[in-house]
Amino acid sequence: MKRIAKLGVLVMVAAMVLSLAACSGGTTKTSSDTKKYVIATDTTFKPFEYENEKGERVGIDIDLLTAIAKDQGFEFELKAVGFDAALGEVSTGQSDGMIAGMSITDERKKTFDFSDPYFDSGVVMAVSASNDTIKGYADLKGQKVAVKTGTEGATFAESIKDQYGFTTVSFPDSANMYEDVKAGNSAALFEDYPVVGDAIASGVPLKMVTEMEKGSSYGFAVKLGQNPELIEMFNTGLANLRANGEYQKILDTYIKK
């Protein structure tokens, strides 16, 4: 009986040791000792991050991060908490990094370290897919142009409307703006390139007819002075994806011209 009792004690001690070892690793190590990072993101900013009809979180940001993690050999846990909350998560150290269509600005550089830009946004002009008349700004003279209130597209349209002789009509959302152009009430619209590109990819009968006007660049971010290896891996992985064509393939999945 004593021998059996001693054996039981040894088993219990071994189990405790293994349990303590597992706890000491936290959530940053997998069973294969691969580093695992917590990455915060927005809840919805289509086409960069959103839930599809299957309830899966997808988008340019998510697919890009997944591909870079695979390329560089690290793992991540995604926390979809909303844009403002994601900023707080990283600045307080609750998350290791953030990817959420985040514009790289001088003000934000006071709080965050950014990766190389992974997406250059900007404004384009789009018309109905059946419109072969409007091909550039000069064709807008005397026409009405649809814009969405508060967007870079609206700001850009206002800045050139006197030069090209058109008037603007404002809408509170993209759907009504698209419908106005489809119905022929407005000759064209100005919208952020990835937003209208996603609409076209989703089947909205529009087409882009101008080159993109330069806008903001998006970057992956970590807390200032923290996780420099994560920024380095993101940059290296991004460069590899650009070189092997995977980066463009991801963009083409969500954005159509």
Side-chain angles (χ1 to χ4, degrees):
M1 290 293 292
K2 288 183 180 180
R3 185 174 300 173
I4 294 175
K6 287 181 180 180
L7 180 60
V9 170
L10 289 173
V11 170
M12 290 175 62
V13 170
M16 290 175 64
V17 170
L18 289 173
S19 176
L20 288 172
C23 291
S24 66
T27 59
T28 58
K29 291 284 188 179
T30 66
S31 59
S32 61
D33 286 338
T34 300
K35 188 72 178 286
K36 186 174 185 179
Y37 297 93
V38 179
I39 307 298
T41 189
D42 203 350
T43 51
T44 178
F45 181 50
K46 197 176 181 183
F48 291 91
E49 44 266 329
Y50 62 99
E51 278 193 3
N52 63 16
E53 62 279 359
K54 298 179 181 179
E56 301 166 333
R57 194 153 293 279
V58 296
I60 293 171
D61 285 350
I62 311 306
D63 291 7
L64 189 60
L65 180 62
T66 300
I68 288 174
K70 181 179 180 181
D71 182 85
Q72 292 295 294
F74 68 87
E75 296 182 0
F76 66 90
E77 173 191 339
L78 197 68
K79 292 180 71 175
V81 294
F83 187 82
D84 289 340
L87 293 173
E89 284 267 335
V90 178
S91 61
T92 58
Q94 297 177 70
S95 290
D96 300 305
M98 171 180 176
I99 187 165
M102 185 178 181
S103 297
I104 302 171
T105 66
D106 290 337
E107 185 63 28
R108 285 175 177 159
K109 286 180 180 179
K110 297 176 182 177
T111 308
F112 303 96
D113 285 325
F114 283 95
S115 68
D116 295 335
Y118 68 83
F119 188 87
D120 294 324
S121 189
V123 174
V124 293
M125 184 172 79
V127 300
S128 171
S130 61
N131 188 331
D132 295 323
T133 304
I134 306 296
K135 298 179 180 179
Y137 304 150
D139 299 320
L140 296 176
K141 187 174 182 179
Q143 304 281 352
K144 289 193 300 183
V145 171
V147 297
K148 185 167 64 177
T149 305
T151 62
E152 286 189 29
T155 300
F156 178 73
E158 291 295 326
S159 74
I160 67 169
K161 70 177 185 179
D162 291 339
Q163 178 183 354
Y164 291 101
F166 63 85
T167 57
T168 57
V169 182
S170 298
F171 294 88
D173 56 66
S174 296
N176 283 314
M177 178 176 64
Y178 298 155
E179 286 300 322
D180 196 66
V181 174
K182 285 163 54 182
N185 298 324
S186 290
L189 63 85
F190 285 94
E191 176 65 288
D192 289 356
Y193 158 66
V195 177
V196 72
D198 173 75
I200 294 171
S202 300
V204 178
L206 299 171
K207 62 182 178 182
M208 300 182 198
V209 292
T210 62
E211 294 297 320
M212 182 179 70
E213 299 288 344
K214 177 66 176 175
S216 57
S217 295
Y218 298 162
F220 175 82
V222 300
K223 184 178 181 179
L224 190 68
Q226 302 294 317
N227 294 307
E229 79 287 351
L230 186 51
I231 290 291
E232 183 177 354
M233 287 190 293
F234 189 94
N235 288 341
T236 301
L238 177 62
N240 290 343
L241 295 185
R242 289 185 189 275
N244 65 23
E246 184 66 20
Y247 171 83
Q248 192 60 49
K249 186 182 298 183
I250 291 172
L251 292 191
D252 291 345
T253 299
Y254 297 96
I255 300 174
K256 303 293 183 187
K257 294 184 177 182

